[in-house]
Amino acid sequence: MTALKDQICEACRADAPKATQAESRTWLAELPDWRLIEQDGEPQLQRAFRFRNFAEALAFTNQVAELAEQENHHPAILLEWGKVTVRWWTHKIGGLHRNDFIMAARTDALYSGDA
Ligand SMILES: C[C@H](O)[C@H](O)[C@H]1CNC2=NC(N)=NC(=O)C2=N1
């Protein structure tokens, strides 16, 4: 089975299938630092990343933003001194798609320098 971080996002459509409970469980197992939350009634993946200062947090924020632009799949990012909180979900379907789990894994890879 291909690791999430090595999988490719598919172009997302409004009729794209939401991740099932079973899929979410399976994929979350690869994302131990991420939490499944609900925001505005929609399931999302969330993780906080820690940094030594604001400049490093900003640099990571820009890396995630660049990745999002490359994949045309965009997160919510909260940038604070020493901390970046990222949330992934698929706007078009108001929930979680495989793409969100892929992008969470890709975000972890950026943080660990494994991108
Ligand atoms: C028009 C544009 O391609 C779409 O709005 C894309 C942009 N980025 C996106 N990002 C996310 N997370 N979900 C989407 O449904 C989405 N749609």
Side-chain angles (χ1 to χ4, degrees), residues 38-59:
E38 190 167 298
Q39 180 99 7
D40 306 325
E42 298 182 350
Q44 301 179 359
L45 298 173
Q46 177 176 289
R47 177 181 176 183
F49 296 85
R50 297 287 178 174
F51 299 90
R52 291 178 300 188
N53 52 50
F54 189 81
E56 291 188 9
L58 175 59

Side-chain angles (χ1 to χ4, degrees), residues 1-5 7 10 17-34 36 45 93 96-105 108:
M1 162 111 132
T2 310
L4 281 171
K5 74 175 180 66
Q7 294 184 36
E10 63 190 59
K18 290 184 179 180
T20 65
Q21 294 265 353
E23 287 171 331
S24 294
R25 255 195 317 275
T26 301
W27 291 331
L28 265 179
E30 281 189 56
L31 302 167
D33 298 307
W34 292 78
L36 197 53
L45 298 173
I93 64 174
L96 289 173
H97 182 273
R98 188 168 65 111
N99 287 348
D100 298 304
F101 294 85
I102 291 170
M103 294 305 279
D108 282 349

Side-chain angles (χ1 to χ4, degrees), residues 12 72-75 88-92 100:
C12 221
N72 191 33
H73 199 70
H74 303 84
W88 288 104
W89 80 103
T90 299
H91 315 153
K92 277 196 185 64
D100 298 304

Side-chain angles (χ1 to χ4, degrees), residues 49-66 77-85 110:
F49 296 85
R50 297 287 178 174
F51 299 90
R52 291 178 300 188
N53 52 50
F54 189 81
E56 291 188 9
L58 175 59
F60 178 72
T61 299
N62 288 325
Q63 284 183 297
V64 177
E66 201 173 302
I77 306 176
L78 174 61
L79 169 61
E80 300 170 274
W81 192 100
K83 182 179 175 184
V84 176
T85 304
L110 283 178

